[in-house]
PDB file of all heavy atoms in Angstrom:
ATOM      1  N   ASP A 209      20.069 -17.011  17.134  1.00 89.00           N
ATOM      2  CA  ASP A 209      20.513 -18.346  17.533  1.00 89.00           C
ATOM      3  C   ASP A 209      20.559 -18.408  19.056  1.00 89.00           C
ATOM      4  O   ASP A 209      20.348 -17.411  19.745  1.00 89.00           O
ATOM      5  CB  ASP A 209      21.862 -18.690  16.908  1.00 89.00           C
ATOM      6  CG  ASP A 209      22.978 -17.751  17.336  1.00 89.00           C
ATOM      7  OD1 ASP A 209      22.895 -17.176  18.436  1.00 89.00           O
ATOM      8  OD2 ASP A 209      23.951 -17.612  16.571  1.00 89.00           O
ATOM      9  N   GLY A 210      20.834 -19.568  19.574  1.00 87.00           N
ATOM     10  CA  GLY A 210      20.837 -19.779  21.022  1.00 87.00           C
ATOM     11  C   GLY A 210      21.809 -18.893  21.766  1.00 87.00           C
ATOM     12  O   GLY A 210      21.588 -18.553  22.924  1.00 87.00           O
ATOM     13  N   GLY A 211      22.890 -18.474  21.110  1.00 90.00           N
ATOM     14  CA  GLY A 211      23.893 -17.663  21.780  1.00 90.00           C
ATOM     15  C   GLY A 211      23.459 -16.233  22.031  1.00 90.00           C
ATOM     16  O   GLY A 211      23.760 -15.656  23.081  1.00 90.00           O
ATOM     17  N   GLU A 212      22.755 -15.639  21.074  1.00 94.00           N
ATOM     18  CA  GLU A 212      22.358 -14.233  21.236  1.00 94.00           C
ATOM     19  C   GLU A 212      20.942 -14.062  21.769  1.00 94.00           C
ATOM     20  O   GLU A 212      20.578 -12.990  22.245  1.00 94.00           O
ATOM     21  CB  GLU A 212      22.529 -13.462  19.921  1.00 94.00           C
ATOM     22  CG  GLU A 212      21.684 -13.974  18.789  1.00 94.00           C
ATOM     23  CD  GLU A 212      21.945 -13.253  17.471  1.00 94.00           C
ATOM     24  OE1 GLU A 212      22.894 -12.466  17.379  1.00 94.00           O
ATOM     25  OE2 GLU A 212      21.170 -13.487  16.534  1.00 94.00           O
ATOM     26  N   ARG A 213      20.151 -15.107  21.720  1.00 95.00           N
ATOM     27  CA  ARG A 213      18.758 -15.033  22.143  1.00 95.00           C
ATOM     28  C   ARG A 213      18.584 -14.571  23.593  1.00 95.00           C
ATOM     29  O   ARG A 213      17.754 -13.687  23.865  1.00 95.00           O
ATOM     30  CB  ARG A 213      18.076 -16.372  21.904  1.00 95.00           C
ATOM     31  CG  ARG A 213      16.585 -16.328  22.041  1.00 95.00           C
ATOM     32  CD  ARG A 213      15.972 -17.644  21.527  1.00 95.00           C
ATOM     33  NE  ARG A 213      14.539 -17.564  21.500  1.00 95.00           N
ATOM     34  CZ  ARG A 213      13.826 -16.902  20.614  1.00 95.00           C
ATOM     35  NH1 ARG A 213      14.428 -16.244  19.640  1.00 95.00           N
ATOM     36  NH2 ARG A 213      12.510 -16.881  20.676  1.00 95.00           N
ATOM     37  N   PRO A 214      19.341 -15.109  24.565  1.00 95.00           N
ATOM     38  CA  PRO A 214      19.150 -14.655  25.956  1.00 95.00           C
ATOM     39  C   PRO A 214      19.410 -13.154  26.137  1.00 95.00           C
ATOM     40  O   PRO A 214      18.675 -12.481  26.867  1.00 95.00           O
ATOM     41  CB  PRO A 214      20.153 -15.490  26.756  1.00 95.00           C
ATOM     42  CG  PRO A 214      20.371 -16.714  25.930  1.00 95.00           C
ATOM     43  CD  PRO A 214      20.266 -16.247  24.501  1.00 95.00           C
ATOM     44  N   ALA A 215      20.424 -12.629  25.475  1.00 96.00           N
ATOM     45  CA  ALA A 215      20.721 -11.202  25.596  1.00 96.00           C
ATOM     46  C   ALA A 215      19.592 -10.368  24.991  1.00 96.00           C
ATOM     47  O   ALA A 215      19.206  -9.325  25.547  1.00 96.00           O
ATOM     48  CB  ALA A 215      22.047 -10.872  24.916  1.00 96.00           C
ATOM     49  N   LEU A 216      19.053 -10.816  23.866  1.00 97.00           N
ATOM     50  CA  LEU A 216      17.932 -10.099  23.248  1.00 97.00           C
ATOM     51  C   LEU A 216      16.707 -10.124  24.158  1.00 97.00           C
ATOM     52  O   LEU A 216      16.015  -9.114  24.314  1.00 97.00           O
ATOM     53  CB  LEU A 216      17.590 -10.711  21.889  1.00 97.00           C
ATOM     54  CG  LEU A 216      18.607 -10.490  20.775  1.00 97.00           C
ATOM     55  CD1 LEU A 216      18.270 -11.356  19.564  1.00 97.00           C
ATOM     56  CD2 LEU A 216      18.666  -9.024  20.378  1.00 97.00           C
ATOM     57  N   LEU A 217      16.450 -11.277  24.761  1.00 97.00           N
ATOM     58  CA  LEU A 217      15.306 -11.386  25.663  1.00 97.00           C
ATOM     59  C   LEU A 217      15.497 -10.502  26.899  1.00 97.00           C
ATOM     60  O   LEU A 217      14.533  -9.901  27.385  1.00 97.00           O
ATOM     61  CB  LEU A 217      15.074 -12.843  26.066  1.00 97.00           C
ATOM     62  CG  LEU A 217      14.534 -13.734  24.946  1.00 97.00           C
ATOM     63  CD1 LEU A 217      14.537 -15.196  25.375  1.00 97.00           C
ATOM     64  CD2 LEU A 217      13.141 -13.297  24.513  1.00 97.00           C
ATOM     65  N   ASP A 218      16.726 -10.413  27.393  1.00 97.00           N
ATOM     66  CA  ASP A 218      17.003  -9.516  28.526  1.00 97.00           C
ATOM     67  C   ASP A 218      16.714  -8.071  28.149  1.00 97.00           C
ATOM     68  O   ASP A 218      16.127  -7.319  28.926  1.00 97.00           O
ATOM     69  CB  ASP A 218      18.457  -9.650  28.986  1.00 97.00           C
ATOM     70  CG  ASP A 218      18.719 -10.929  29.762  1.00 97.00           C
ATOM     71  OD1 ASP A 218      17.748 -11.598  30.165  1.00 97.00           O
ATOM     72  OD2 ASP A 218      19.916 -11.255  29.947  1.00 97.00           O
ATOM     73  N   ARG A 219      17.139  -7.676  26.960  1.00 97.00           N
ATOM     74  CA  ARG A 219      16.898  -6.304  26.509  1.00 97.00           C
ATOM     75  C   ARG A 219      15.407  -6.056  26.304  1.00 97.00           C
ATOM     76  O   ARG A 219      14.889  -4.986  26.633  1.00 97.00           O
ATOM     77  CB  ARG A 219      17.682  -6.018  25.234  1.00 97.00           C
ATOM     78  CG  ARG A 219      19.189  -5.897  25.529  1.00 97.00           C
ATOM     79  CD  ARG A 219      20.057  -5.788  24.309  1.00 97.00           C
ATOM     80  NE  ARG A 219      19.688  -4.729  23.412  1.00 97.00           N
ATOM     81  CZ  ARG A 219      19.927  -4.752  22.097  1.00 97.00           C
ATOM     82  NH1 ARG A 219      20.549  -5.774  21.547  1.00 97.00           N
ATOM     83  NH2 ARG A 219      19.564  -3.739  21.339  1.00 97.00           N
ATOM     84  N   LEU A 220      14.697  -7.047  25.766  1.00 98.00           N
ATOM     85  CA  LEU A 220      13.254  -6.916  25.589  1.00 98.00           C
ATOM     86  C   LEU A 220      12.564  -6.787  26.949  1.00 98.00           C
ATOM     87  O   LEU A 220      11.651  -5.964  27.120  1.00 98.00           O
ATOM     88  CB  LEU A 220      12.698  -8.110  24.809  1.00 98.00           C
ATOM     89  CG  LEU A 220      11.212  -8.081  24.482  1.00 98.00           C
ATOM     90  CD1 LEU A 220      10.847  -6.849  23.662  1.00 98.00           C
ATOM     91  CD2 LEU A 220      10.824  -9.353  23.738  1.00 98.00           C
ATOM     92  N   ALA A 221      13.009  -7.555  27.920  1.00 98.00           N
ATOM     93  CA  ALA A 221      12.448  -7.467  29.271  1.00 98.00           C
ATOM     94  C   ALA A 221      12.692  -6.078  29.867  1.00 98.00           C
ATOM     95  O   ALA A 221      11.827  -5.534  30.562  1.00 98.00           O
ATOM     96  CB  ALA A 221      13.056  -8.552  30.161  1.00 98.00           C
ATOM     97  N   MET A 222      13.859  -5.515  29.584  1.00 98.00           N
ATOM     98  CA  MET A 222      14.157  -4.165  30.066  1.00 98.00           C
ATOM     99  C   MET A 222      13.179  -3.156  29.473  1.00 98.00           C
ATOM    100  O   MET A 222      12.667  -2.280  30.172  1.00 98.00           O
ATOM    101  CB  MET A 222      15.604  -3.786  29.701  1.00 98.00           C
ATOM    102  CG  MET A 222      16.061  -2.425  30.194  1.00 98.00           C
ATOM    103  SD  MET A 222      15.861  -1.015  29.052  1.00 98.00           S
ATOM    104  CE  MET A 222      16.552  -1.574  27.537  1.00 98.00           C
ATOM    105  N   PHE A 223      12.881  -3.297  28.179  1.00 98.00           N
ATOM    106  CA  PHE A 223      11.907  -2.396  27.546  1.00 98.00           C
ATOM    107  C   PHE A 223      10.526  -2.594  28.154  1.00 98.00           C
ATOM    108  O   PHE A 223       9.786  -1.625  28.351  1.00 98.00           O
ATOM    109  CB  PHE A 223      11.866  -2.605  26.029  1.00 98.00           C
ATOM    110  CG  PHE A 223      12.878  -1.789  25.294  1.00 98.00           C
ATOM    111  CD1 PHE A 223      14.042  -2.368  24.801  1.00 98.00           C
ATOM    112  CD2 PHE A 223      12.692  -0.429  25.089  1.00 98.00           C
ATOM    113  CE1 PHE A 223      14.988  -1.611  24.133  1.00 98.00           C
ATOM    114  CE2 PHE A 223      13.621   0.341  24.425  1.00 98.00           C
ATOM    115  CZ  PHE A 223      14.780  -0.258  23.947  1.00 98.00           C
TER     116      PHE A 223
END
Side-chain angles (χ1 to χ4, degrees):
D209 62 27
E212 62 184 9
R213 192 169 187 75
L216 290 170
L217 289 171
D218 285 347
R219 288 173 54 207
L220 183 59
M222 182 267 311
F223 273 103

